[in-house]
Amino acid sequence: MSDNVRMRRVAMRVGSGAAGGRIITLGAMLLAAGILGPSDFGRFSLILATAQMLGMFATLGLARGLVRLLPDREATPGDRRQLWVWSCLPATVISALLALLVLALPEAGRLIGLPTDSAWHQVGLGLWLFGFTLSSLGQAGLIGSGRQDKAAIWIVVRSICFATTVLIGSFFFAPQFLVLACGLAELVVAGALLLLVNASITSDTAGSLSRAGLTSKLLRNGGPGWLADLSSQFGIWATLYLLTQSAWGPALAGIFALGQRAFVAVTMLSRQVSLSFVPILVHARGRDHASWVRASRRTLRYSLGIGSAVALPVLLLFLVSGPLMGEYGDHRTPLMAMAALGVLASWNTGMGVVAQTGGRLTRWGVSDALAAASTVTVTALLMDDLGLWAAVLGFGAGHLLRSLVLAPAVPLRSAP
C-alpha cells in the first residue's frame, strides 16, 4: 500500500474521530460559557489551562517519544513493551507528585492563578492533571503502535465524557465542584485508555535496550516536542493569567477563553491527523529521501486543508450566533479572529511534524518557545490599551514567528 493511500486512510479515521470530538467539546464549552458567564468561565478555563500545562510538564516528552519510536522497524516486541512501561512509570510518578504538591501547598495554587475561595479547586486540579498525563500517554501508545482507528474512537469517548461533565456541572454544580467533576471524569477515561494500550502492547520476550539507553532515547526523540507542547500551553496559560489579573478581571479571560476554544477546535483536527502521520513519515524516511519528501508535502497539504475546512463552519457559527451570545456577542470580531488564526497554526503543526521526522528537533522545540514568548510579551505590552485585542495580536505574532522559524525545515527538493 502506498504512503499516499495510507495517509488518506489515517486522515479519514483519525480525522473523523477528532472532528466529532472537537464539535462535541466546542458545543459543550459554548453552552457552558453562556451558563457560567464570562467571569466564572474565565476562572474555569484558567484551571483547565493550568492542569494541561502541568500535565504536559509531567510527561517529559515521553508521549512524543512513544509516537516516534514504537513504529521503528528495528524494534522488537520486547523493545516496544519496554518503551511503553518506561514511558508510563516516570510520567505517572511526576504527575502524582505534582498533584500532591498542588493539594499540599495552597500558596502554590495562588501563584499559578488558582482561585482561593475553595479547596475543591485544588482537589479537582490535582485529579485533572494526573488524568491528563495518563490520557496523553495512552493516546500516544495507540497512535505509535499503529492503532489510529482506536485512537480516533477514544478521542470521541474522551470528548463526550468531558462535554457531558461540563454541561451537567455547569447546570447543577458550583464552579469549584465543576472542576472536581471534570478531574474525576478525566481520570476514569485515562484509566480505561491505559488498560487498552497495555493489553495491546504485549510481549513475553525481553527487550534489547538497557534502561539507561531506553530512557535517553525516549527523551532525545520526545524532548524537543515536549518543549514545543509545553511552550504552547504556557503561552495560553500566561495569557489567561494576565487577562485575569488585568483591570477587566476574569470576565475578559472568559471571553478570550471562548475564542481560544474555537482556535483549538480549528487546530486540533489537523494536529491529530498530522501526529498520526508520524509513523508513516518515519517509515518513508527510512526508505529514501524522495519518499520522505513526498510524504512531508502531503502532510502539509492535509494540515492546511483540514485547518481551512474546519475554520469555515466555526467562523460561520460565530457569525450567525452573535445575537444569542449575550456578553460574548459584543466581542464577536476578536473571537472570529482567534478562530481564523487556527488556519496558520494548523499549517505550523504540519511543519512541526515534518521537522520532527526530518531530525530538526531543536528547531521544532525552539519555534514554539519563541512563539510563546512572543505571545506573552505582546499581550503584556498592549493589554492596558487594547484589552482583548492585545491577546489576539499576541497569538497572531507568536504563530507567525513560529512559521518563519519552521519554514527552513520543510523539504522543497527531492534530492538531499
Side-chain angles (χ1 to χ4, degrees), residues 76-82 198 200-207:
T76 66
D79 290 338
R80 293 188 178 93
R81 183 67 179 175
Q82 274 188 294
N198 192 61
S200 300
I201 305 178
T202 57
S203 175
D204 296 329
T205 61

Side-chain angles (χ1 to χ4, degrees), residues 117-410:
D117 56 344
S118 172
W120 291 113
H121 284 304
Q122 292 172 263
V123 177
L125 174 61
L127 293 175
W128 210 341
L129 77 90
F130 188 60
F132 177 85
T133 303
L134 300 183
S135 294
S136 299
L137 287 169
Q139 193 162 305
L142 287 178
I143 293 174
S145 58
R147 294 170 174 81
Q148 289 94 340
D149 50 348
K150 291 184 178 179
I153 293 172
W154 276 94
I155 290 171
V156 176
V157 170
R158 190 177 179 188
S159 299
I160 291 175
C161 291
F162 177 77
T164 303
T165 306
V166 167
L167 289 179
I168 294 176
S170 299
F171 274 112
F172 299 107
F173 302 153
Q176 59 266 30
F177 292 106
L178 170 59
V179 175
L180 176 62
C182 288
L184 288 170
E186 181 75 6
L187 193 60
V188 170
V189 172
L193 188 55
L194 285 183
L195 289 175
L196 174 64
V197 180
N198 192 61
S200 300
I201 305 178
T202 57
S203 175
D204 296 329
T205 61
S208 60
L209 296 170
S210 66
R211 292 180 183 178
L214 185 147
T215 303
S216 174
K217 198 171 184 179
L218 278 167
L219 293 177
R220 188 168 61 252
N221 282 271
W226 171 68
L227 175 61
D229 290 340
L230 186 62
S231 298
S232 295
Q233 191 59 40
F234 173 78
I236 295 170
W237 173 84
T239 302
L240 285 169
Y241 183 76
L242 287 171
L243 294 176
T244 301
Q245 301 301 315
S246 70
W248 292 274
L252 191 63
I255 296 168
F256 171 78
L258 185 63
Q260 194 266 329
R261 297 309 304 185
F263 173 87
V264 171
V266 174
T267 59
M268 186 58 72
L269 177 54
S270 61
R271 176 184 173 85
Q272 293 293 341
V273 171
S274 297
L275 186 62
S276 298
F277 285 168
V278 170
I280 299 173
L281 287 163
V282 171
H283 288 155
R285 191 163 188 256
R287 288 198 300 272
D288 54 73
H289 184 78
S291 298
W292 176 64
V293 169
R294 288 193 295 271
S296 298
R297 289 176 178 173
R298 293 188 190 107
T299 298
L300 294 177
R301 285 200 295 269
Y302 275 111
S303 297
L304 182 60
I306 291 171
S308 302
V310 176
L312 291 176
V314 173
L315 290 171
L316 182 62
L317 178 63
F318 277 123
L319 189 64
V320 301
S321 63
L324 305 176
M325 294 173 63
E327 297 178 62
Y328 301 94
D330 296 335
H331 303 275
R332 183 171 51 181
T333 303
L335 290 175
M336 293 176 67
M338 282 290 294
L341 283 173
V343 178
L344 176 60
S346 297
W347 171 258
N348 287 342
T349 296
M351 288 203 293
V353 169
V354 172
Q356 175 192 10
T357 56
R360 310 295 291 274
L361 300 177
T362 300
R363 179 179 291 273
W364 179 34
V366 169
S367 70
D368 263 25
L370 291 175
S374 176
T375 296
V376 175
T377 301
V378 171
T379 301
L381 291 175
L382 301 180
M383 185 172 57
D384 291 340
D385 296 324
L386 299 181
L388 182 62
W389 273 108
V392 177
L393 292 175
F395 254 67
H399 285 285
L400 180 59
L401 178 60
R402 185 172 185 236
S403 184
L404 294 174
V405 174
L406 285 174
V410 178

